[in-house]
Coordinates of all heavy atoms in Angstrom, one line a residue:
Q18 N 18.0 -6.9 -10.2 CA 18.7 -5.7 -10.0 C 20.0 -6.0 -9.2 O 20.0 -6.9 -8.4 CB 17.9 -4.7 -9.4 CG 16.7 -4.2 -10.2 CD 17.1 -3.4 -11.4 OE1 18.1 -2.7 -11.4 NE2 16.3 -3.5 -12.5
S19 N 20.9 -5.1 -9.3 CA 22.1 -5.2 -8.5 C 21.8 -4.8 -7.0 O 20.8 -4.2 -6.8 CB 23.2 -4.3 -9.0 OG 22.9 -3.0 -8.8
D20 N 22.6 -5.3 -6.1 CA 22.4 -4.9 -4.7 C 22.5 -3.4 -4.5 O 21.8 -2.9 -3.6 CB 23.5 -5.6 -3.8 CG 23.2 -7.1 -3.6 OD1 22.1 -7.5 -3.8 OD2 24.2 -7.8 -3.2
E21 N 23.3 -2.8 -5.3 CA 23.5 -1.3 -5.2 C 22.2 -0.6 -5.5 O 21.8 0.4 -4.9 CB 24.5 -0.8 -6.2 CG 24.8 0.6 -6.1 CD 25.9 1.0 -7.1 OE1 26.6 0.2 -7.7 OE2 26.1 2.2 -7.3
V22 N 21.4 -1.1 -6.4 CA 20.1 -0.5 -6.7 C 19.0 -1.1 -5.8 O 18.2 -0.3 -5.3 CB 19.7 -0.9 -8.2 CG1 18.3 -0.4 -8.5 CG2 20.7 -0.2 -9.1
R23 N 19.0 -2.4 -5.6 CA 17.9 -3.0 -4.8 C 17.9 -2.6 -3.3 O 16.9 -2.4 -2.7 CB 18.0 -4.5 -4.9 CG 16.9 -5.2 -4.4 CD 16.9 -6.8 -4.6 NE 18.1 -7.4 -4.1 CZ 19.0 -8.0 -4.8 NH1 18.9 -8.1 -6.1 NH2 20.1 -8.5 -4.2
H24 N 19.1 -2.5 -2.7 CA 19.2 -2.3 -1.3 C 18.5 -1.0 -0.8 O 17.6 -1.0 0.1 CB 20.6 -2.3 -0.8 CG 20.8 -2.3 0.7 ND1 20.4 -3.3 1.5 CD2 21.2 -1.3 1.5 CE1 20.6 -2.9 2.8 NE2 21.1 -1.7 2.8
P25 N 18.8 0.2 -1.4 CA 18.1 1.4 -0.9 C 16.6 1.3 -1.2 O 15.8 1.8 -0.4 CB 18.7 2.5 -1.8 CG 20.0 1.9 -2.3 CD 19.8 0.4 -2.4
F26 N 16.2 0.7 -2.3 CA 14.7 0.5 -2.6 C 14.1 -0.3 -1.5 O 13.0 0.0 -1.0 CB 14.6 -0.1 -4.0 CG 13.1 0.0 -4.4 CD1 12.6 1.2 -4.9 CD2 12.3 -1.2 -4.4 CE1 11.3 1.2 -5.4 CE2 11.0 -1.1 -4.8 CZ 10.5 0.0 -5.3
E27 N 14.7 -1.5 -1.2 CA 14.2 -2.3 -0.1 C 14.0 -1.6 1.2 O 13.1 -1.8 1.9 CB 15.1 -3.6 0.0 CG 14.9 -4.6 -1.1 CD 15.9 -5.8 -0.9 OE1 16.8 -5.7 0.0 OE2 15.7 -6.7 -1.7
E28 N 15.0 -0.8 1.5 CA 15.0 0.0 2.8 C 13.8 0.9 2.8 O 13.1 1.1 3.8 CB 16.3 0.7 3.0 CG 17.4 -0.1 3.4 CD 18.7 0.6 3.6 OE1 18.8 1.8 3.2 OE2 19.6 0.1 4.2
G29 N 13.5 1.6 1.7 CA 12.4 2.5 1.6 C 11.1 1.8 1.7 O 10.2 2.2 2.5
V30 N 11.0 0.6 1.1 CA 9.7 -0.2 1.2 C 9.5 -0.7 2.6 O 8.4 -0.6 3.2 CB 9.7 -1.3 0.2 CG1 8.6 -2.3 0.4 CG2 9.7 -0.8 -1.3
A31 N 10.6 -1.1 3.2 CA 10.5 -1.6 4.6 C 10.1 -0.5 5.5 O 9.3 -0.7 6.5 CB 11.8 -2.2 5.0
A32 N 10.6 0.7 5.3 CA 10.2 1.9 6.1 C 8.7 2.1 6.0 O 8.0 2.4 7.0 CB 11.0 3.1 5.8
H33 N 8.2 2.1 4.8 CA 6.8 2.3 4.6 C 5.9 1.2 5.2 O 4.9 1.4 5.8 CB 6.4 2.3 3.1 CG 6.7 3.7 2.5 ND1 8.0 4.0 2.0 CD2 6.0 4.7 2.2 CE1 8.0 5.2 1.5 NE2 6.8 5.7 1.7
F34 N 6.4 -0.1 5.1 CA 5.7 -1.2 5.8 C 5.6 -0.9 7.3 O 4.6 -1.2 8.0 CB 6.4 -2.5 5.6 CG 6.1 -3.1 4.2 CD1 7.1 -3.9 3.6 CD2 4.9 -2.9 3.6 CE1 6.9 -4.4 2.3 CE2 4.7 -3.5 2.3 CZ 5.7 -4.3 1.7
E35 N 6.7 -0.4 7.9 CA 6.7 -0.2 9.3 C 5.7 0.8 9.8 O 5.0 0.7 10.7 CB 8.1 0.3 9.8 CG 9.2 -0.9 9.8 CD 10.5 -0.4 10.2 OE1 10.6 0.6 11.0 OE2 11.5 -0.9 9.7
V36 N 5.6 1.9 9.0 CA 4.7 3.0 9.3 C 3.2 2.4 9.2 O 2.4 2.6 10.1 CB 4.8 4.2 8.3 CG1 3.7 5.2 8.5 CG2 6.2 4.9 8.6
L37 N 2.9 1.7 8.1 CA 1.6 1.2 8.0 C 1.3 0.1 9.0 O 0.2 0.0 9.5 CB 1.4 0.6 6.6 CG 1.3 1.6 5.4 CD1 1.4 0.9 4.1 CD2 0.0 2.4 5.5
D38 N 2.3 -0.7 9.4 CA 2.1 -1.7 10.4 C 1.8 -1.1 11.7 O 0.9 -1.5 12.4 CB 3.4 -2.5 10.5 CG 3.3 -3.8 11.3 OD1 2.1 -4.3 11.4 OD2 4.3 -4.3 11.9
E39 N 2.5 0.0 12.1 CA 2.1 0.7 13.3 C 0.7 1.3 13.3 O 0.0 1.2 14.3 CB 3.1 1.9 13.5 CG 4.5 1.4 13.9 CD 5.5 2.6 14.1 OE1 5.1 3.7 14.3 OE2 6.7 2.3 14.0
L40 N 0.3 1.8 12.1 CA -1.1 2.3 12.0 C -2.1 1.2 12.2 O -3.1 1.4 12.8 CB -1.3 3.0 10.7 CG -0.5 4.3 10.5 CD1 -0.6 4.8 9.1 CD2 -1.0 5.4 11.5
M41 N -1.8 0.0 11.6 CA -2.7 -1.1 11.7 C -2.8 -1.6 13.2 O -3.8 -2.0 13.7 CB -2.3 -2.3 10.8 CG -2.4 -2.0 9.3 SD -4.1 -1.5 8.8 CE -4.0 0.2 8.7
N42 N -1.6 -1.6 13.9 CA -1.6 -2.0 15.3 C -2.4 -1.0 16.1 O -3.1 -1.4 17.0 CB -0.2 -2.0 15.8 CG 0.5 -3.4 15.5 OD1 -0.2 -4.4 15.6 ND2 1.8 -3.4 15.2
E43 N -2.3 0.3 15.8 CA -3.0 1.3 16.6 C -4.5 1.1 16.4 O -5.3 1.4 17.2 CB -2.6 2.7 16.2 CG -1.2 3.1 16.6 CD -0.8 4.4 16.1 OE1 -1.6 5.2 15.6 OE2 0.4 4.7 16.3
A44 N -4.9 0.6 15.2 CA -6.3 0.4 14.9 C -6.8 -0.9 15.4 O -7.9 -1.3 15.2 CB -6.6 0.5 13.4
K45 N -5.9 -1.7 16.1 CA -6.2 -3.0 16.6 C -6.7 -4.0 15.5 O -7.6 -4.7 15.7 CB -7.1 -2.9 17.7 CG -6.6 -2.1 18.9 CD -7.6 -2.1 20.1 CE -7.1 -1.5 21.3 NZ -6.3 -0.3 21.3
S46 N -6.0 -3.9 14.4 CA -6.4 -4.8 13.2 C -5.8 -6.1 13.4 O -4.7 -6.3 14.0 CB -5.9 -4.2 11.9 OG -6.5 -3.0 11.6
S47 N -6.5 -7.1 12.9 CA -5.9 -8.5 12.9 C -4.9 -8.6 11.8 O -5.0 -7.9 10.7 CB -7.0 -9.5 12.6 OG -7.6 -9.3 11.3
N48 N -3.8 -9.3 12.0 CA -2.7 -9.4 11.1 C -2.2 -8.1 10.5 O -2.2 -7.9 9.3 CB -3.1 -10.4 10.0 CG -1.9 -11.1 9.4 OD1 -0.8 -10.7 9.6 ND2 -2.2 -12.0 8.5
P49 N -1.7 -7.2 11.3 CA -1.4 -5.9 10.8 C -0.2 -5.9 9.8 O -0.3 -5.1 8.9 CB -0.9 -5.1 12.1 CG -0.7 -6.2 13.1 CD -1.5 -7.3 12.8
S50 N 0.7 -6.8 9.9 CA 1.8 -6.8 9.0 C 1.3 -7.2 7.6 O 1.7 -6.6 6.6 CB 2.9 -7.8 9.4 OG 3.5 -7.3 10.6
A51 N 0.5 -8.2 7.5 CA -0.1 -8.6 6.2 C -0.9 -7.4 5.6 O -0.9 -7.2 4.4 CB -0.9 -9.8 6.3
K52 N -1.7 -6.8 6.4 CA -2.5 -5.6 5.9 C -1.6 -4.5 5.4 O -1.9 -3.9 4.4 CB -3.4 -5.1 7.0 CG -4.6 -6.0 7.2 CD -5.6 -5.3 8.2 CE -6.8 -6.2 8.4 NZ -7.8 -5.5 9.2
A53 N -0.5 -4.2 6.1 CA 0.4 -3.2 5.7 C 1.0 -3.5 4.3 O 1.1 -2.7 3.5 CB 1.5 -3.0 6.7
M54 N 1.4 -4.8 4.1 CA 1.9 -5.2 2.8 C 0.9 -5.1 1.7 O 1.2 -4.6 0.6 CB 2.5 -6.6 2.9 CG 3.7 -6.7 3.7 SD 4.3 -8.5 3.7 CE 4.8 -8.6 5.3
T55 N -0.3 -5.5 2.0 CA -1.4 -5.4 1.1 C -1.7 -4.0 0.7 O -1.8 -3.6 -0.5 CB -2.6 -6.1 1.6 OG1 -2.3 -7.5 1.9 CG2 -3.8 -6.0 0.6
I56 N -1.8 -3.1 1.7 CA -2.2 -1.7 1.4 C -1.1 -1.0 0.6 O -1.4 -0.3 -0.3 CB -2.4 -1.0 2.8 CG1 -3.8 -1.5 3.3 CG2 -2.4 0.5 2.6 CD1 -4.1 -1.1 4.8
L57 N 0.2 -1.2 1.0 CA 1.3 -0.6 0.3 C 1.3 -1.0 -1.2 O 1.5 -0.2 -2.1 CB 2.6 -0.7 1.0 CG 3.8 0.0 0.3 CD1 3.5 1.5 0.3 CD2 5.1 -0.3 1.0
S58 N 1.1 -2.3 -1.4 CA 1.2 -2.9 -2.7 C 0.0 -2.3 -3.5 O 0.2 -2.0 -4.7 CB 1.0 -4.4 -2.7 OG 2.1 -5.0 -2.0
L59 N -1.2 -2.2 -2.9 CA -2.3 -1.7 -3.6 C -2.1 -0.2 -4.0 O -2.4 0.3 -5.1 CB -3.6 -1.8 -2.8 CG -4.9 -1.2 -3.3 CD1 -5.3 -1.9 -4.6 CD2 -6.0 -1.4 -2.2
M60 N -1.5 0.6 -3.0 CA -1.3 2.0 -3.3 C -0.3 2.2 -4.4 O -0.5 3.1 -5.3 CB -0.8 2.6 -2.0 CG -1.9 2.7 -0.9 SD -1.3 3.1 0.8 CE -0.5 4.7 0.5
V61 N 0.8 1.5 -4.3 CA 1.9 1.6 -5.4 C 1.3 1.2 -6.7 O 1.6 1.9 -7.7 CB 3.1 0.8 -5.0 CG1 4.1 0.7 -6.2 CG2 3.8 1.3 -3.8
G62 N 0.6 0.1 -6.8 CA 0.0 -0.3 -8.1 C -1.0 0.7 -8.6 O -1.0 1.0 -9.8
A63 N -1.8 1.3 -7.8 CA -2.8 2.3 -8.2 C -2.1 3.6 -8.7 O -2.5 4.1 -9.8 CB -3.7 2.6 -7.0
V64 N -1.1 4.0 -8.0 CA -0.4 5.2 -8.5 C 0.3 4.9 -9.8 O 0.2 5.8 -10.7 CB 0.6 5.7 -7.4 CG1 1.5 6.8 -8.0 CG2 -0.1 6.3 -6.2
T65 N 0.9 3.8 -9.9 CA 1.6 3.4 -11.2 C 0.6 3.4 -12.4 O 0.9 4.0 -13.4 CB 2.3 2.1 -11.0 OG1 3.2 2.1 -10.0 CG2 3.0 1.6 -12.3
L66 N -0.5 2.7 -12.2 CA -1.5 2.6 -13.2 C -2.1 4.0 -13.5 O -2.3 4.3 -14.7 CB -2.6 1.7 -12.8 CG -2.3 0.2 -12.8 CD1 -3.5 -0.6 -12.2 CD2 -1.9 -0.3 -14.2
S67 N -2.4 4.8 -12.5 CA -3.0 6.1 -12.8 C -2.1 7.0 -13.6 O -2.5 7.8 -14.4 CB -3.4 6.8 -11.5 OG -2.3 7.2 -10.8
R68 N -0.8 6.8 -13.4 CA 0.2 7.7 -14.1 C 0.4 7.3 -15.5 O 0.9 8.2 -16.3 CB 1.5 7.7 -13.3 CG 1.4 8.5 -12.0 CD 2.7 8.6 -11.4 NE 2.6 9.4 -10.2 CZ 3.6 9.7 -9.3 NH1 4.8 9.2 -9.5 NH2 3.3 10.4 -8.2
I69 N 0.1 6.1 -15.9 CA 0.3 5.7 -17.3 C -1.0 5.9 -18.1 O -1.0 5.8 -19.3 CB 0.8 4.3 -17.5 CG1 -0.2 3.3 -16.9 CG2 2.1 4.1 -16.8 CD1 0.1 1.8 -17.3
M70 N -2.1 6.3 -17.5 CA -3.4 6.5 -18.2 C -3.4 7.8 -18.8 O -3.1 8.8 -18.2 CB -4.6 6.3 -17.2 CG -4.8 5.0 -16.6 SD -5.2 3.8 -17.9 CE -4.4 2.4 -17.3
G71 N -3.8 7.9 -20.1 CA -4.0 9.1 -20.8 C -5.3 9.8 -20.4 O -5.5 11.0 -20.5
D72 N -6.3 9.0 -20.0 CA -7.6 9.5 -19.7 C -7.6 9.9 -18.2 O -7.5 9.0 -17.3 CB -8.6 8.3 -19.9 CG -10.1 8.7 -19.6 OD1 -10.3 9.6 -18.8 OD2 -11.0 8.0 -20.1
K73 N -7.7 11.2 -18.0 CA -7.6 11.7 -16.6 C -8.7 11.1 -15.7 O -8.5 10.8 -14.5 CB -7.6 13.2 -16.6 CG -7.3 13.8 -15.3 CD -7.1 15.3 -15.4 CE -6.5 15.8 -14.2 NZ -5.9 17.1 -14.3
S74 N -9.9 11.0 -16.2 CA -11.0 10.5 -15.4 C -10.8 9.0 -15.0 O -11.1 8.6 -13.9 CB -12.4 10.7 -16.0 OG -12.5 9.9 -17.2
L75 N -10.2 8.2 -15.9 CA -9.9 6.9 -15.6 C -8.8 6.8 -14.6 O -8.9 6.0 -13.6 CB -9.5 6.1 -16.9 CG -9.1 4.6 -16.7 CD1 -10.3 3.9 -16.1 CD2 -8.8 4.0 -18.0
A76 N -7.8 7.7 -14.7 CA -6.7 7.7 -13.7 C -7.3 8.0 -12.3 O -6.9 7.4 -11.3 CB -5.7 8.7 -14.1
E77 N -8.2 9.0 -12.3 CA -8.8 9.4 -11.0 C -9.6 8.3 -10.4 O -9.7 8.0 -9.2 CB -9.6 10.7 -11.1 CG -8.7 11.9 -11.3 CD -9.5 13.2 -11.6 OE1 -10.7 13.2 -11.6 OE2 -8.8 14.2 -11.9
G78 N -10.3 7.6 -11.3 CA -11.1 6.4 -10.9 C -10.3 5.3 -10.3 O -10.7 4.7 -9.3
I79 N -9.1 5.1 -10.9 CA -8.2 4.1 -10.3 C -7.8 4.5 -8.9 O -7.9 3.7 -7.9 CB -7.0 3.9 -11.2 CG1 -7.4 3.2 -12.5 CG2 -5.9 3.1 -10.5 CD1 -6.3 3.2 -13.6
L80 N -7.4 5.7 -8.7 CA -7.0 6.2 -7.4 C -8.1 6.2 -6.4 O -8.0 5.8 -5.2 CB -6.4 7.6 -7.5 CG -5.1 7.7 -8.3 CD1 -4.7 9.2 -8.5 CD2 -4.0 6.9 -7.6
D81 N -9.3 6.6 -6.8 CA -10.5 6.6 -5.9 C -10.8 5.2 -5.5 O -11.1 4.9 -4.3 CB -11.7 7.2 -6.6 CG -11.5 8.7 -6.8 OD1 -10.7 9.3 -6.1 OD2 -12.3 9.3 -7.6
A82 N -10.8 4.2 -6.4 CA -11.2 2.8 -6.1 C -10.1 2.2 -5.2 O -10.5 1.5 -4.2 CB -11.2 2.0 -7.4
A83 N -8.9 2.5 -5.4 CA -7.8 2.0 -4.5 C -8.0 2.6 -3.1 O -7.8 1.9 -2.1 CB -6.5 2.3 -5.1
A84 N -8.3 3.9 -3.0 CA -8.4 4.5 -1.7 C -9.6 3.9 -0.9 O -9.5 3.7 0.3 CB -8.6 6.0 -1.9
E85 N -10.7 3.6 -1.6 CA -11.8 3.0 -1.0 C -11.5 1.6 -0.5 O -11.8 1.2 0.6 CB -13.0 2.9 -2.0 CG -14.3 2.4 -1.4 CD -15.4 2.4 -2.4 OE1 -15.5 3.4 -3.2 OE2 -16.2 1.5 -2.3
E86 N -10.7 0.9 -1.3 CA -10.3 -0.5 -0.9 C -9.3 -0.4 0.3 O -9.4 -1.3 1.2 CB -9.7 -1.2 -2.1 CG -9.5 -2.7 -1.8 CD -10.8 -3.5 -1.6 OE1 -11.9 -3.0 -1.8 OE2 -10.6 -4.6 -1.1
V87 N -8.4 0.5 0.3 CA -7.5 0.6 1.4 C -8.3 0.9 2.7 O -8.0 0.3 3.7 CB -6.5 1.8 1.1 CG1 -5.8 2.2 2.4 CG2 -5.5 1.3 0.1
R88 N -9.3 1.8 2.7 CA -10.1 2.0 3.9 C -10.8 0.8 4.3 O -10.9 0.5 5.5 CB -11.0 3.2 3.6 CG -10.4 4.5 3.6 CD -11.4 5.7 3.5 NE -12.1 5.7 2.2 CZ -11.6 6.4 1.2 NH1 -10.5 7.1 1.3 NH2 -12.3 6.4 0.1
R89 N -11.3 0.0 3.4 CA -12.0 -1.2 3.7 C -11.1 -2.2 4.4 O -11.4 -2.8 5.4 CB -12.6 -1.8 2.4 CG -13.5 -3.1 2.7 CD -14.0 -3.7 1.4 NE -12.9 -4.4 0.7 CZ -12.4 -5.6 1.1 NH1 -12.9 -6.3 2.1 NH2 -11.5 -6.1 0.4
I90 N -9.9 -2.4 3.8 CA -8.9 -3.4 4.3 C -8.5 -2.9 5.7 O -8.4 -3.7 6.6 CB -7.7 -3.5 3.4 CG1 -8.1 -4.2 2.1 CG2 -6.6 -4.2 4.1 CD1 -7.1 -4.1 1.0
A91 N -8.2 -1.6 5.9 CA -7.7 -1.2 7.2 C -8.7 -1.3 8.3 O -8.3 -1.6 9.4 CB -7.4 0.3 7.0
H92 N -10.0 -1.3 8.0 CA -11.0 -1.3 9.0 C -11.6 -2.7 9.3 O -12.4 -2.9 10.2 CB -12.1 -0.3 8.7 CG -11.6 1.1 8.9 ND1 -11.3 1.8 7.7 CD2 -11.4 1.8 9.9 CE1 -10.9 3.0 8.2 NE2 -10.9 3.0 9.5
R93 N -11.4 -3.7 8.4 CA -12.0 -5.0 8.5 C -11.1 -5.9 9.3 O -9.9 -5.9 9.1 CB -12.3 -5.6 7.2 CG -13.3 -4.9 6.4 CD -14.6 -5.5 6.0 NE -14.7 -6.9 6.2 CZ -15.0 -7.7 5.2 NH1 -15.1 -7.3 3.9 NH2 -15.2 -9.0 5.4
E94 N -11.6 -6.7 10.2 CA -10.9 -7.6 11.0 C -10.5 -8.9 10.2 O -9.5 -9.5 10.5 CB -11.7 -8.0 12.3 CG -11.8 -6.9 13.3 CD -10.4 -6.5 13.9 OE1 -9.6 -7.4 14.1 OE2 -10.2 -5.3 14.1
D95 N -11.4 -9.3 9.3 CA -11.2 -10.6 8.6 C -10.5 -10.5 7.3 O -10.4 -11.4 6.6 CB -12.6 -11.3 8.5 CG -13.5 -10.4 7.6 OD1 -13.3 -9.2 7.5 OD2 -14.5 -11.0 7.1
V96 N -10.0 -9.3 6.9 CA -9.4 -9.1 5.6 C -7.9 -9.4 5.8 O -7.3 -9.0 6.7 CB -9.6 -7.7 5.1 CG1 -8.8 -7.5 3.8 CG2 -11.1 -7.4 4.9
V97 N -7.4 -10.2 4.8 CA -6.0 -10.5 4.7 C -5.6 -11.5 5.8 O -5.9 -12.0 6.7 CB -5.0 -9.4 4.7 CG1 -3.6 -9.8 4.6 CG2 -5.3 -8.4 3.7

């Protein structure tokens, strides 16, 4: 992508990483930056997949599974 398109998107992603990184630090997580990147990537992927599914129960299942995994990652010391 061009810098004109990529730059604002990168700024938005970086802002989300910062918020998640702060939350991981508050939870005294090990490697909070890596966890923040993992969690945001998982969340974006889950929302993207759920939106393309025609089967509503499958879409909800994707979101539920992702939410459960995000909670697991956020609370484990040895993840990521």
Side-chain angles (χ1 to χ4, degrees):
Q18 295 293 329
S19 70
D20 284 343
E21 183 180 349
V22 172
R23 188 176 56 243
H24 187 68
F26 190 78
E27 286 177 350
E28 287 179 344
V30 170
H33 281 85
F34 282 148
E35 286 179 30
V36 169
L37 287 169
D38 191 27
E39 287 177 22
L40 291 172
M41 294 299 100
N42 274 323
E43 289 175 12
K45 297 183 175 43
S46 294
S47 63
N48 203 353
S50 294
K52 283 186 178 185
M54 288 182 219
T55 301
I56 288 170
L57 184 58
S58 298
L59 178 62
M60 291 167 57
V61 169
V64 169
T65 301
L66 289 174
S67 73
R68 288 187 177 174
I69 63 170
M70 294 295 147
D72 181 338
K73 192 169 188 162
S74 67
L75 182 57
E77 290 175 6
I79 290 168
L80 294 174
D81 290 343
E85 185 175 324
E86 190 64 14
V87 164
R88 285 189 289 274
R89 185 185 71 80
I90 291 168
H92 292 101
R93 296 244 344 241
E94 290 294 323
D95 61 340
V96 175
V97 183

